[in-house]
Amino acid sequence: MRGMKNLLQLGDSPPTMRRSPRQLWWGGLFLSSLIAMGSTFEAVRMQRYYSPPNSTQRWAVGSITTTFLLAFLSLTLQMIPQAAHRLMGTKLELALIFVVSAFACAAVGTATNPATGMAINASGGISFGNLYYSTWASFGCGMALLISFIRTERGMDVSSELKSRGKRFRLWVILIITTLIVMGSSASSYDAKCDKDEDFRPIQYCRRSAFGVSAGCIGCVISLAVVAIRVSCTPRENGQGNKKKIVFAVECISSLIMLCFYCFAAAYLTSEEGPGAPLGNLYYSTWITFGLIFFVATSCFEEFQAAKLVYSHRNQQGGDVGEGGFSSIDLSNHGRPVDWPDNENHVPVESNLQEENGFRQAAPPVGNRSGSVGEVQI
């Protein structure tokens, strides 16, 4: 009987405690939300000296406090062996991550809205740095927790999937986010100063804010369209050269339009009379968007130049250009495509033909100048 009792006790004992792969991100969320919570209380206390309490203040305090309490609860449970194995990698942790990310997003929206005047003043500039950066850090930790859970518990590595599709594809995905921020920040700036009688409106400021909303909306639509086309037209081994040429043409035209558009937007929105002149969401997102689209356009240009160079050398060597012009040209580095698809075992069919025609010895290197040459394999 005693042996049976010991056996039952052994079977009921909790499993060995293991460290959560997201413990670091939970700790970062705890610290950033703690700073954000203290800063929020301070900002609300200062505002109540000259204005009565409002729903926005209550929502800001509630969202960041809830984020802090949930992060503290998660870290506490992970230190208890009996509770850790019931939380880590389960649907309960996923639900907790979703709730935390939602409240962190709400905290960013309320704290960095110029209309509320908490972390950002009515002109769109940062007035309370601790609150501004800590709320954004909390949101970033929430997103990192979600990506980590999907990778470790569901076997979907989002970063590797984006990396396998090429550098320009990753930039287009980031552009969706930055252009959304441009649109939302411009709309908030317009509401803060331009939702008044026409006699009291700053005309130039309001026009530029409206232009920022349009720029963000157009940029987001274009970026979404390019990402959708790239996802639906993933290169295959069996060719489809005409389809690849169309994808590359759409990407080049889109990047050129957005580059011209945001050259003007960066100057127009961040000038002295623009809503993005002070350091804030609109300032950062506008210049980040301009930098990203500049790199995309540069990559497209270099890829086009490389394809044209390969085409001319193949004609000089008498090689078979193949169906669709550039469709069978291999933009490769030592016989392997540089960026898309990223497969170490992929051996292009054209490499043998290039060796037979003496192309490798005759042609100058056209590979890795931007890291994106041959991304759509035109």
Side-chain angles (χ1 to χ4, degrees), residues 107-122:
V108 170
T110 53
T112 64
N113 189 344
T116 63
M118 297 183 67
I120 292 182
N121 55 35

Side-chain angles (χ1 to χ4, degrees), residues 50-124:
Y50 52 85
S51 64
N54 53 56
S55 59
T56 304
Q57 294 175 350
R58 298 189 189 96
W59 181 246
V61 171
S63 58
I64 198 62
T65 303
T66 304
T67 303
F68 168 75
L69 292 176
L70 291 177
F72 177 76
L73 175 64
S74 175
L75 285 176
T76 303
L77 293 177
Q78 291 178 33
M79 296 177 184
I80 304 173
Q82 291 81 2
H85 77 279
R86 298 179 185 275
L87 174 67
M88 292 188 302
T90 63
K91 293 181 179 179
L92 177 60
E93 185 182 15
L94 179 61
L96 197 62
I97 291 173
F98 272 122
V99 173
V100 163
S101 300
F103 277 111
C105 183
V108 170
T110 53
T112 64
N113 189 344
T116 63
M118 297 183 67
I120 292 182
N121 55 35
S123 299

Side-chain angles (χ1 to χ4, degrees), residues 196-261:
K196 303 175 182 178
D197 295 335
E198 292 186 3
D199 297 336
F200 300 98
R201 287 184 181 180
I203 303 300
Q204 290 293 332
Y205 184 94
C206 295
R207 287 178 179 175
R208 298 186 185 203
S209 298
F211 175 77
V213 175
S214 301
C217 182
I218 293 172
C220 185
V221 170
I222 292 177
S223 302
L224 276 171
V226 172
V227 169
I229 293 172
R230 288 284 300 268
V231 170
S232 62
C233 301
T234 302
R236 297 188 178 93
E237 295 179 0
N238 57 358
Q240 296 184 349
N242 291 331
K243 201 171 187 179
K244 296 173 189 176
K245 290 203 308 182
I246 293 174
V247 172
F248 184 67
V250 169
E251 195 171 0
C252 289
I253 294 172
S254 300
S255 62
L256 183 61
I257 292 173
M258 283 190 64
L259 181 62
C260 296
F261 202 62

